Amino acid sequence: MRAADLLDALDPEQREVALATRGAVCVLAGAGTGKTRAITHRIAYATVSGVMDPAHVLALTFTVRAAGELRGRLRQLGSGQVRASTFHAAALRQLNYFWPRIVGGPPPRLIDAKGSLIREAAKLVRVRLDAVSDAASEIEWAKSMQVRPDKYATVAAAEDRAGTAAGGLAEFAALYDTYERLRRERQLIDFESVLELTAAMLLENRAAAAHVRDAFRYFVVDEYQDVNPLQKLLLDAWLGDRDELCVVGDPHQTIYSFTGATPEYLTGFTVEFPAASVVRLVRDYRSTPQVVAVANQLSRAAAPLVAQRKPGPSPLLTEYGDESDEAAGVVVQIRALIAGGVPAREIAVLVRINAQTERFEQALADAGVAYVVRGAERFYDRPVVKQALVLLRGAARAETAAPGTQELPDAVRHVLTGMGFTAAVPGPAPAARERWESLAAIAQLAEDVHAQQPSATLSQFAAEMTQRAELGHAPVIDGVTLASMHAAKGLEWDAVLLPGLVEGVVPIVHAKTPDAVSEERRLLYVAVTRAREYLYLSWSPARAPGARPSRSRSRFLNEIRLGGRHG
């Protein structure tokens, strides 16, 4: 692809990003403004025009899916040599390379989950935990913030952290200290240790630093508002005294401060790099003007989003009597959307906390509407998906040896049926439902592949799944998505429904400080900006039928002017 062609595909602000090929660059990109397009075209333009060697570029992001999307787009633009990776994957690769050379012997073993070690530590220090998962998150926060066990109680108190141990902050500090001791004694590393140890090696060993800095000379960091102090430490170690750093992010989408993420590195970029080029992307290509207007009212941004799409329906705010009425009303709206031609997979119900999905699951199931609950687990890491891929590869080899007459969807369903897959959706048991959803997603992918390529074979389908696993592109079943607002970040749908918008939920009850309330506002902004065309907001003053109406609607709804209103 010619350099001029790359520029012709961009709007004026995106083009400005692409032309800023050297030095420090800060891209402030609002929701739906094409930030990934801008930074991938910048990389491609710089490599095609000879400014950068693609083999020396490292593009960093936070999720496997996002890294896969970057790799896929760069490959399409002719820059497939560029390394696109998560912070953890890049650090782990370097740690495994340098450990035998610097420390000696095999590198420590990486643990995927902290649960078993935390339980053992809690038993040793006789600390009762509220929840192991909460304790793991708290340890991750402390390590990301570079807070050692002996400083934890003091820092956590100042930050108003709960500690997640029944006894208090001091007890949790003891648990944290014991967890770290057990981990080191057994030569184990967690994901935070990967970043920490890699940074330490580069900062303390000149040869290792020189090796990495020669390999990677140009850095691009996506979602820079989500960087935490530990990731910034590693990025600084990679960068050294150079300024070849392009960052892109949106301070209005900072919703992970509870994990240690801070927008200060993004908003303070020009303080760190005074000569930096700063470009603002404000043209919103995702959402209708009506949805964009709601987003702008929530963000209060100095540079509001400017909608580029044609007008659509007005967002609708509905007041229901109680949560049961609300769930039923949400289903009515969903069925109307589907009847109007919106695919079920293009509809999402987003809630503040995962526990809220239960009533919508039941209401959708009762109405016979297919749905999928989206969680944080990576699709291709699920045991049932790994098993399916092994069986599909085996069936593909058999097909090659003795070609059959089945079309791809039938051949795939035959394999999945042998794993217990049925046409009927199972009951509400989470494990059974997740297994069914995983297999249904694979069956749906086979349908999609067959529609695009009717002659596709099992071998080609297995290869497609393998490539998708590498890129982090999970298939989706043709069902309504139920997800938390946090899990929805980075995704989009034609229609988004946001129920449960009451005080104590949005903002959440423990959001006591102005900063915490501001983060809740940003979270709602993220949820709103997931919608391309249809946006439904709702709330109910009572929890249950016949209960006293004791709740008030979210304060954020008072700031939103809607073209249409009901209830």
Side-chain angles (χ1 to χ4, degrees):
M1 185 175 288
R2 297 184 308 123
D5 294 333
L6 290 166
L7 295 179
D8 288 344
L10 305 176
D11 70 26
E13 293 79 23
Q14 293 169 346
R15 183 187 179 98
E16 189 178 349
V17 173
L19 289 171
T21 54
R22 295 300 299 269
V25 181
C26 178
V27 183
L28 298 172
T33 56
K35 67 179 178 64
T36 305
R37 181 180 185 83
I39 59 173
T40 52
H41 277 71
R42 174 185 182 268
I43 293 170
Y45 178 76
T47 57
V48 168
S49 59
V51 175
M52 296 180 191
D53 182 339
H56 291 306
V57 180
L58 179 58
L60 295 158
T61 189
F62 291 86
T63 67
V64 172
R65 183 186 62 79
E69 182 180 359
L70 280 177
R71 283 196 295 273
R73 292 207 196 185
L74 288 167
R75 192 178 296 123
Q76 291 174 355
L77 296 174
S79 297
Q81 285 179 277
V82 171
R83 178 74 57 81
S85 172
T86 64
F87 274 87
H88 288 100
L92 183 60
R93 192 176 299 112
Q94 294 173 22
L95 184 66
N96 286 336
Y97 177 82
F98 287 116
W99 188 278
R101 292 162 175 79
I102 296 175
V103 180
R109 182 170 64 87
L110 177 66
I111 54 174
D112 291 330
K114 297 179 172 69
S116 60
L117 213 57
I118 287 174
R119 289 188 191 93
E120 187 176 349
K123 201 170 185 179
L124 287 171
V125 296
R126 297 181 180 178
V127 166
R128 183 170 61 84
L129 294 173
D130 297 332
V132 172
S133 59
D134 289 345
S137 297
E138 190 67 7
I139 289 174
E140 288 161 11
W141 171 81
K143 297 186 74 168
S144 295
M145 295 295 290
Q146 293 287 274
V147 177
R148 305 299 176 200
D150 61 334
K151 302 292 185 185
Y152 171 81
T154 302
V155 176
E159 295 286 333
D160 199 25
R161 306 288 294 191
T164 77
L169 299 180
E171 286 74 11
F172 189 84
L175 171 100
Y176 175 23
D177 184 59
T178 304
Y179 166 86
E180 285 288 86
R181 177 175 58 79
L182 291 173
R183 184 187 59 74
R184 287 191 297 268
E185 287 175 355
R186 296 172 190 181
Q187 294 189 305
L188 303 173
I189 51 174
D190 53 26
F191 285 109
E192 294 74 40
S193 300
V194 170
L195 304 187
E196 198 170 46
L197 290 170
T198 304
M201 284 185 175
L202 300 182
L203 293 170
E204 296 170 10
N205 188 291
R206 291 184 180 180
H211 181 99
V212 170
R213 290 169 188 168
D214 180 61
F216 299 116
R217 303 174 189 177
Y218 312 97
F219 294 85
V220 177
V221 184
D222 193 13
E223 303 288 4
Y224 199 58
Q225 78 279 350
D226 290 335
V227 166
N228 64 43
L230 180 54
Q231 290 160 337
K232 183 62 165 62
L233 176 71
L234 178 60
L235 180 62
D236 289 344
W238 281 333
L239 196 61
D241 59 1
R242 300 168 295 178
D243 67 349
E244 295 293 348
L245 173 63
C246 173
V247 303
V248 58
D250 180 7
H252 299 294
Q253 295 189 66
T254 304
I255 59 173
Y256 294 110
S257 64
F258 61 91
T259 67
T262 173
E264 292 177 5
Y265 303 125
L266 177 64
T267 57
F269 192 79
T270 54
V271 176
E272 186 176 4
F273 299 98
S277 301
V278 179
V279 184
R280 292 183 182 272
L281 303 183
V282 296
R283 299 174 196 248
D284 186 307
Y285 297 96
R286 176 187 300 156
S287 305
T288 62
Q290 287 78 3
V291 174
V292 168
V294 174
N296 283 336
Q297 289 163 29
L298 283 169
S299 73
R300 303 173 175 177
L305 296 173
V306 180
Q308 303 299 300
R309 290 188 55 179
K310 292 186 291 188
S314 295
L316 185 66
L317 171 62
T318 305
E319 177 185 344
Y320 294 98
D322 55 60
E323 289 184 346
S324 295
D325 283 347
E326 185 173 31
V330 164
V331 172
V332 168
Q333 289 170 327
I334 288 172
R335 296 184 74 168
L337 286 166
I338 294 172
V342 180
R345 69 169 71 183
E346 286 296 343
I347 302 171
V349 180
L350 306 181
V351 294
R352 175 61 182 86
I353 54 176
N354 289 319
Q356 290 176 279
T357 65
E358 183 179 358
R359 67 178 183 272
F360 299 105
E361 291 181 57
Q362 191 63 56
L364 288 167
D366 291 345
V369 178
Y371 67 90
V372 58
V373 180
R374 184 180 182 88
E377 184 186 21
R378 286 160 51 182
F379 180 81
Y380 293 100
D381 284 346
R382 296 175 182 173
V384 66
V385 175
K386 291 180 178 180
Q387 180 189 3
L389 188 50
V390 169
L391 293 176
L392 286 167
R393 286 170 179 157
R397 288 192 293 270
E399 179 187 66
T400 302
T405 58
Q406 277 187 314
E407 290 187 334
L408 178 63
D410 294 329
V412 170
R413 282 184 176 271
H414 179 73
V415 173
L416 301 182
T417 299
M419 297 175 63
F421 178 60
T422 60
V425 182
R433 181 158 192 105
E434 182 181 277
R435 180 180 176 86
W436 183 89
E437 288 170 353
S438 299
L439 297 177
I442 296 172
Q444 181 67 52
L445 178 61
E447 297 278 358
D448 295 342
V449 170
H450 177 69
Q452 295 172 4
Q453 188 181 350
S455 61
T457 64
L458 268 177
S459 294
Q460 291 170 317
F461 181 70
E464 169 77 10
M465 278 197 68
T466 300
Q467 183 180 35
R468 282 171 168 263
E470 292 172 354
L471 297 176
H473 286 176
V476 294
I477 67 171
D478 193 16
V480 174
T481 298
L482 297 178
S484 71
M485 294 177 181
H486 281 100
K489 190 168 183 295
L491 304 174
E492 57 188 74
W493 295 269
D494 285 346
V496 170
L497 298 95
L498 304 176
L501 300 181
V502 298
E503 284 291 306
V505 178
V506 181
I508 201 74
V509 65
H510 51 72
K512 303 292 187 184
T513 66
D515 285 347
V517 172
S518 293
E519 179 137 342
E520 293 290 301
R521 177 194 303 279
R522 294 193 295 269
L523 184 57
L524 184 56
Y525 167 84
V526 166
V528 164
T529 55
R530 301 310 95 195
R532 298 191 192 102
E533 188 169 1
Y534 302 95
L535 178 64
Y536 298 92
L537 307 98
S538 62
W539 71 288
S540 57
R543 291 186 182 277
R548 184 173 62 86
S550 58
R551 304 186 301 182
S552 57
R553 69 183 197 170
S554 169
R555 70 191 73 176
F556 302 137
L557 293 178
N558 298 330
E559 305 169 16
I560 298 173
R561 297 183 302 279
L562 300 174
R565 181 182 295 267
H566 172 72

